[in-house]
Amino acid sequence: MVYKTLTIAGSDSGGGAGIQADLKTFQELGVYGMSVITAVTAQNTLGVQGVYPMPVESVEEQINSIAADLSPHALKTGMLFSAEIIKKVGELVEANSWIHLVVDPVMVAKGGSRLLQEEAVEAMKEHLISRAYVMTPNIPEAEVLTGQDIRSEEDRKAAAKELYKMGAMNVVIKGGHSEDESYAVDLLFDGQEFHEFKSPRINTDHTHGTGCTFAAAITAELAKGHSVKDAIQTAKQFITAAIYNELKIGSGKGPTNHWAYKQLGVEVK
């Protein structure tokens, strides 16, 4: 069987994040990847030089084309840019009864450039979080969405519960921005229990696209029918391999190595 996955996100001309990172991840994990482009960015490892959003009608037509012929087994959202696009994506996810939605609430690029308009945050709460099967904010994103400061593990747990109350069925608050210098610990709340996914912290600047790649790997594994916990565990292994085996390209925050997971001989199931 061919498992189909869809990414609804922005294009990264540098190839490290966004649509490009998602499609690379889908390919490496053995699923068929499709895309809906919400914005075109001009960017490289040094930063974002321009953001050019697509018309809402274009996003709608792209999704309708996929729905009519290639309905995905799982899908993810990345950079959606505006409240109008977020609202339309949420409506179409519901209209097509797409259950396995991974929401990566992309707000700011690694270099600090804002990728989500201020007014779009409320739209995300209203139209997208409530439809998320899995949500994957980093700590700064979780702070914006909940209005809570996150400094401790208890803070992270409280924020995860708050996002669950907003409607997300499973919340993963990533640990890359935590103050733990030894480990990066991702925290999952499934509505009943907390689960930790731990890996050694890797000292590198080559982390562009880590969030996109992690969420895409979860999406790929969900499409294959794996449980949320198993999907996150594989995604954790995938992104750890991608960060550890540096490509060392570009003059700034370089991309991760999307082929490292398979190159290390990890069996793709």
Side-chain angles (χ1 to χ4, degrees):
M1 181 175 180
V2 176
Y3 298 104
K4 302 186 295 295
T5 48
L6 171 64
T7 170
I8 305 174
S11 169
D12 173 1
S13 57
I19 291 285
Q20 287 80 355
D22 294 344
L23 292 177
K24 290 173 186 178
T25 303
F26 292 160
Q27 186 75 14
E28 291 298 312
L29 289 173
V31 297
Y32 181 78
M34 303 170 290
S35 64
V36 168
I37 297 177
T38 59
V40 173
T41 68
Q43 65 176 295
N44 51 32
T45 66
L46 298 174
V48 179
Q49 291 79 45
V51 179
Y52 308 93
M54 300 295 287
V56 176
E57 295 78 16
S58 168
V59 174
E60 181 176 15
E61 192 159 353
Q62 291 177 75
I63 294 174
N64 287 340
S65 291
I66 297 296
D69 186 44
L70 296 161
S71 189
H73 295 92
L75 69 157
K76 73 167 289 257
T77 60
M79 185 185 95
L80 299 180
F81 185 73
S82 69
E84 293 79 14
I85 291 176
I86 289 170
K87 184 173 185 291
K88 181 57 65 177
V89 169
E91 289 172 353
L92 292 174
V93 165
E94 176 129 336
N96 288 293
S97 300
W98 289 337
I99 304 299
H100 295 117
L101 170 66
V102 178
V103 174
D104 182 22
V106 178
M107 295 181 179
V108 179
K110 277 288 188 295
S113 298
R114 192 167 185 89
L115 299 175
L116 186 70
Q117 293 180 322
E118 293 282 357
E119 61 269 24
V121 174
E122 289 306 314
M124 182 168 286
K125 292 179 185 178
E126 184 177 350
H127 300 289
L128 211 57
I129 293 177
S130 61
R131 296 182 172 102
Y133 187 66
V134 180
M135 189 176 180
T136 63
N138 58 33
I139 288 174
E141 289 162 349
E143 288 181 326
V144 171
L145 290 167
T146 63
Q148 302 174 10
D149 288 333
I150 301 175
R151 297 290 177 268
S152 65
E153 184 174 351
E154 288 308 309
D155 291 341
R156 268 214 281 175
K157 288 182 176 180
K161 286 182 177 179
E162 185 63 28
L163 290 168
Y164 178 81
K165 286 179 187 174
M166 292 181 191
M169 292 180 68
N170 298 275
V171 179
V172 186
I173 299 185
K174 296 172 292 191
H177 289 77
S178 73
E179 296 177 1
D180 189 331
E181 296 181 359
S182 301
Y183 295 96
V185 181
D186 301 327
L187 181 70
L188 165 67
F189 181 59
D190 62 11
Q192 295 184 326
E193 297 179 306
F194 288 97
H195 307 274
E196 290 187 350
F197 302 84
K198 191 174 184 179
S199 63
R201 188 174 291 279
I202 300 162
N203 184 22
T204 178
D205 285 331
H206 299 278
T207 57
H208 180 54
T210 51
C212 305
T213 300
F214 179 71
I218 293 173
T219 306
E221 294 304 294
L222 290 176
K224 298 175 192 175
H226 295 309
S227 69
V228 171
K229 281 179 64 178
D230 287 346
I232 294 170
Q233 185 62 53
T234 297
K236 185 69 167 174
Q237 293 169 350
F238 188 96
I239 194 58
T240 301
I243 296 171
Y244 184 76
N245 295 273
E246 298 175 315
L247 293 173
K248 296 182 180 178
I249 59 174
S251 303
K253 295 185 181 298
T256 65
N257 182 349
H258 290 91
W259 62 71
Y261 182 77
K262 279 175 69 173
Q263 211 171 48
L264 291 172
V266 180
E267 183 182 356
V268 178
K269 300 179 180 178

